[in-house]
Amino acid sequence: MHICQLMSLPFPPEEGVGNHVYNLSRNLIKDNHEVTIITRGPWNKIQRENIDEIDVIRVPFVPLYPFHIHLHGLSVNKVFKSLESEFDVLHIHSPLCPLIKTSLPLITTIHTPMLTDYRDAKLESIRIMLLKIASKFVSYKLESKILHASDIVMTVSTSIAQELKENYYLNSDKVFTVGNGVDEKFFCPGKQRSKNDNRYILFVGHIDREKGLFDLLECGRYICRDRSDVSFILAGQGRDFNILKRRVIKLGLRDRFVLLGQVGKEKLLELYQNATLFVFPSYHEGLPTALLEAMSCSVPIIATDVRGNRDLISHGENGILVPSRNPKKLAEAISLILDDEHLRTKYGGNARKTIENNYTWDKVSDKILRCYLSFLEKQQ
């Protein structure tokens, strides 16, 4: 079988959705299938190369918002039409891709719905206001067209599946929850740390207001005031990186709040394996890759009680869930875990078991492949 994966993000991957597409593609290839990825490229030419046995085609993309999707769609449809006869399945991955005209089975995976992403966002800036307007009048309509044209809609979490049924009016029989995966062989627990090692609280992800990082900074003021042996490390890039960095300096926390920027995979593993605990204070999620990676490394988890996070974390079993936008509750949960080695061991061990039982790439890609094959069999 030859699967065409369509995404509208850089490749090789730089973040969660790209990692999902890459790892799914590698597992499909391991099972003797062919994979072609069509994605965005430079504005003036088509690029084609082979990356880890994946055929990658980069199609011209012009970042002229909000017309970029439609302009990109003209190029994508032209390239896809010339190759359509080679493929058996077309699999589209959100965020927003252009709608493709095809007679092939059309599968769409929604990683995070555009409408619900900004529906509950507070109007803290002009940017958020514009995103809410664009989400309602542009993104939602296009995404809805793609979803209703799809033969199968996959989601990474049960909460997203429910939102698609309620807000996009999809029939339950075409929506399947397949989850997200992690390479549990690479992201694995490290050696037992010495009690004398410096302790740090880790966050990995986009440096963005919607990730709750200004709440984390406020929480850090409480923690750093009472504890001299704990620091915070944040790994990632994002549009609020410089704003957050200036706020850290203004609060006098430069030595206790370290912003690393984007880090490589080996460095990321080292950060997970040596972290005292992992915090994820976001306002909304799909099924976050960073949370999966931290759990796979047996790091005790504190996350906000929002969709996506609560698919992974069972409060009091494999981590702690706290209300979003509540720095004080977050600080209380951090203090609780810092003071209780037994809880850290329990939550970290159970987090690893959660990954092994449900979220390895072998298990996730097998679910997706079964969906492909089941639909193709029905068509015969």
Side-chain angles (χ1 to χ4, degrees):
M1 181 164 52
H2 192 167
I3 301 102
C4 177
Q5 310 257 11
L6 176 63
M7 56 184 280
S8 190
L9 292 165
F11 197 89
E14 296 177 355
E15 47 66 64
V17 176
N19 286 323
H20 180 102
V21 177
Y22 172 80
N23 284 290
L24 171 59
S25 299
R26 290 293 302 137
N27 271 62
L28 290 170
I29 290 168
K30 187 175 70 174
D31 289 335
N32 297 315
H33 301 286
E34 295 180 78
V35 176
T36 296
I37 291 177
I38 298 178
T39 187
R40 63 172 61 175
W43 67 272
N44 59 342
K45 61 181 177 180
I46 296 173
Q47 295 177 329
R48 190 165 188 169
E49 67 176 308
N50 189 282
I51 299 176
D52 296 338
E53 301 181 84
I54 305 167
D55 184 23
V56 180
I57 304 173
R58 298 188 184 89
V59 177
F61 175 82
V62 181
L64 188 62
Y65 192 85
F67 310 107
H68 60 296
I69 301 165
H70 303 285
L71 293 172
H72 189 48
L74 297 174
S75 301
V76 170
N77 272 284
K78 184 177 180 180
V79 169
F80 180 81
K81 188 175 181 180
S82 69
L83 299 171
E84 184 174 10
S85 61
E86 299 178 16
F87 304 134
D88 299 294
V89 171
L90 172 60
H91 190 160
I92 294 177
H93 294 265
S94 71
L96 282 172
C97 287
L99 180 60
I100 302 298
K101 300 172 184 177
T102 181
S103 59
L104 295 177
L106 178 57
I107 318 295
T108 296
T109 293
I110 295 295
H111 296 266
T112 305
M114 298 298 295
L115 179 67
T116 50
D117 239 11
Y118 291 102
R119 181 189 58 198
D120 299 325
K122 290 187 176 181
L123 296 178
E124 296 169 328
S125 66
I126 294 175
R127 176 175 64 84
I128 294 295
M129 181 182 71
L130 292 175
L131 284 170
K132 284 173 75 77
I133 294 170
S135 174
K136 182 175 181 179
F137 294 106
V138 180
S139 304
Y140 170 71
K141 289 183 178 180
L142 179 56
E143 192 169 59
S144 186
K145 281 184 181 179
I146 293 173
L147 290 174
H148 285 278
S150 300
D151 298 298
I152 293 174
V153 176
M154 298 181 183
T155 72
V156 295
S157 72
T158 55
S159 50
I160 289 179
Q162 188 60 35
E163 289 183 16
L164 294 182
K165 295 169 191 175
E166 293 174 356
N167 297 321
Y168 292 77
Y169 311 107
L170 295 180
N171 294 328
S172 297
D173 58 358
K174 73 183 289 184
V175 181
F176 298 86
T177 301
V178 295
N180 200 354
V182 64
D183 182 352
E184 85 287 359
K185 297 180 182 67
F186 180 82
F187 290 104
C188 60
K191 297 178 181 178
Q192 187 71 32
R193 299 181 68 222
S194 167
K195 292 183 179 179
N196 296 322
D197 289 346
N198 291 329
R199 302 201 294 175
Y200 63 86
I201 296 159
L202 179 65
F203 167 86
V204 175
H206 287 299
I207 306 301
D208 190 308
R209 192 174 298 273
E210 294 296 300
K211 291 295 184 182
L213 296 180
F214 291 91
D215 296 336
L216 180 61
L217 181 54
E218 183 65 24
C219 155
R221 293 176 67 186
Y222 301 130
I223 299 296
C224 294
R225 182 187 62 199
D226 298 332
R227 298 170 182 269
S228 61
D229 63 331
V230 177
S231 59
F232 290 77
I233 294 180
L234 283 63
Q237 269 292 354
R239 51 195 161 208
D240 288 327
F241 184 91
N242 291 328
I243 298 173
L244 186 65
K245 191 172 184 178
R246 287 194 295 269
R247 187 77 63 85
V248 167
I249 294 170
K250 185 177 180 180
L251 293 174
L253 294 173
R254 182 187 299 189
D255 295 332
R256 307 290 296 280
F257 247 85
V258 182
L259 278 72
L260 296 178
Q262 203 72 29
V263 300
K265 193 174 178 182
E266 295 292 338
K267 176 64 176 178
L268 188 58
L269 176 63
E270 179 187 333
L271 289 171
Y272 285 131
Q273 289 181 335
N274 291 291
T276 307
L277 60 95
F278 182 85
V279 291
F280 211 64
S282 45
Y283 299 159
H284 48 78
E285 286 295 340
L287 203 73
T289 300
L291 195 50
L292 291 165
E293 291 169 350
M295 293 173 70
S296 191
C297 292
S298 290
V299 189
I301 306 292
I302 298 172
T304 42
D305 189 8
V306 299
R307 66 139 201 251
N309 292 351
R310 63 174 85 98
D311 277 64
L312 292 169
I313 302 299
S314 298
H315 181 72
E317 291 297 323
N318 62 355
I320 292 179
L321 292 172
V322 298
S324 66
R325 305 177 189 268
N326 195 324
K328 190 174 180 181
K329 290 290 185 184
L330 184 58
E332 290 172 358
I334 289 173
S335 294
L336 176 66
I337 293 188
L338 286 175
D339 291 335
D340 195 325
E341 185 178 357
H342 170 74
L343 271 185
R344 293 199 302 274
T345 301
K346 172 188 172 183
Y347 292 157
N350 287 344
R352 173 71 184 184
K353 289 177 184 176
T354 300
I355 297 299
E356 292 174 339
N357 292 337
N358 300 292
Y359 296 103
T360 67
W361 267 113
D362 284 344
K363 293 181 184 296
V364 173
S365 61
D366 186 56
K367 284 183 189 177
I368 294 171
L369 182 59
R370 287 203 305 268
C371 283
Y372 292 163
L373 295 173
S374 176
F375 188 80
L376 288 170
E377 288 172 3
K378 288 179 183 178
Q379 285 197 316
Q380 292 176 355

